[in-house]
Amino acid sequence: MTNRKQVFQVQILKIKELYQHYQNNPFSPTIVHDLRVAIRALRALVHFVKKRISVEEYEQINQSLGEAAQMLGPLRELDVLDQYCSQYAIAHPSKSETYYQLFNTFAKDRRVEMNRTFNKTNQAKMKHAIDLSKN
C-alpha cells in the first residue's frame, strides 16, 4: 500500500519536473496548464491531511502553493483567451481585419507575463512552495 508521504513525494516530484519543463520552454501553454493543475492537486492533498498537521503548517503550505499557482494565473488566462480567439478567427475569417493586431498584442502581453514569472521574487515563491511541501 502506498503511504501518504509517498503520494506527496510523487506530486512534489511532478511539480518540480513540470517547473523545470516550464523554465526550459515557457512558451508552451500546455506546460503552464499542467503545472497549475499539479499545484492545485498538491493543495488538495494538503487539505486532505489538514487535521494531521498543525494549523500554522497547513496555512503556510497552502498559502505558499496558492501564491505559486497565482503567479502563473495571468499567463494561463492569456493562453485561454488566445486559444478562444484563435478558434473564433478560424471559424469567422471575414469578421475582422484586425486579427493580426489582436494576436500580436496577445503575444506581447504573454511575453511580459512570462518574463514576470522569471523574476527572482516569483522564482523564489515557486521554490519556497516546493520546499515547504516536502516536509
Side-chain angles (χ1 to χ4, degrees), residues 78 82 101-112:
L78 282 168
D82 182 66
Q101 293 169 339
L102 176 68
F103 291 112
N104 192 36
T105 300
F106 285 160
K108 288 177 184 176
D109 290 349
R110 190 184 194 288
R111 186 171 293 274
V112 168

Side-chain angles (χ1 to χ4, degrees), residues 31-135:
I31 293 172
V32 172
H33 173 69
D34 291 349
L35 179 55
R36 289 189 76 223
V37 168
I39 292 169
R40 283 197 315 268
L42 183 56
R43 285 183 84 187
L45 286 172
V46 170
H47 184 73
F48 184 72
V49 298
K50 180 179 181 178
K51 292 183 179 182
R52 295 181 181 209
I53 60 178
S54 71
V55 173
E56 180 182 291
E57 184 178 13
Y58 168 79
E59 292 294 331
Q60 194 175 28
I61 293 170
N62 188 51
Q63 180 180 353
S64 184
L65 288 170
E67 289 174 359
Q70 285 178 348
M71 172 187 79
L72 298 167
L75 195 56
R76 177 66 183 149
E77 289 170 7
L78 282 168
D79 289 341
V80 170
L81 182 59
D82 182 66
Q83 182 180 15
Y84 174 80
C85 290
S86 293
Q87 292 169 351
Y88 183 86
I90 290 168
H92 305 92
S94 62
K95 291 279 185 181
S96 177
E97 295 175 6
T98 60
Y99 285 144
Y100 174 81
Q101 293 169 339
L102 176 68
F103 291 112
N104 192 36
T105 300
F106 285 160
K108 288 177 184 176
D109 290 349
R110 190 184 194 288
R111 186 171 293 274
V112 168
E113 283 302 320
M114 187 177 66
N115 288 335
R116 185 189 54 77
T117 67
F118 284 108
N119 72 34
K120 289 181 182 181
T121 301
N122 285 327
Q123 285 186 329
K125 281 182 186 179
M126 185 64 75
K127 184 179 181 332
H128 182 66
I130 293 168
D131 290 345
L132 266 181
S133 301
K134 288 179 184 177
N135 302 330

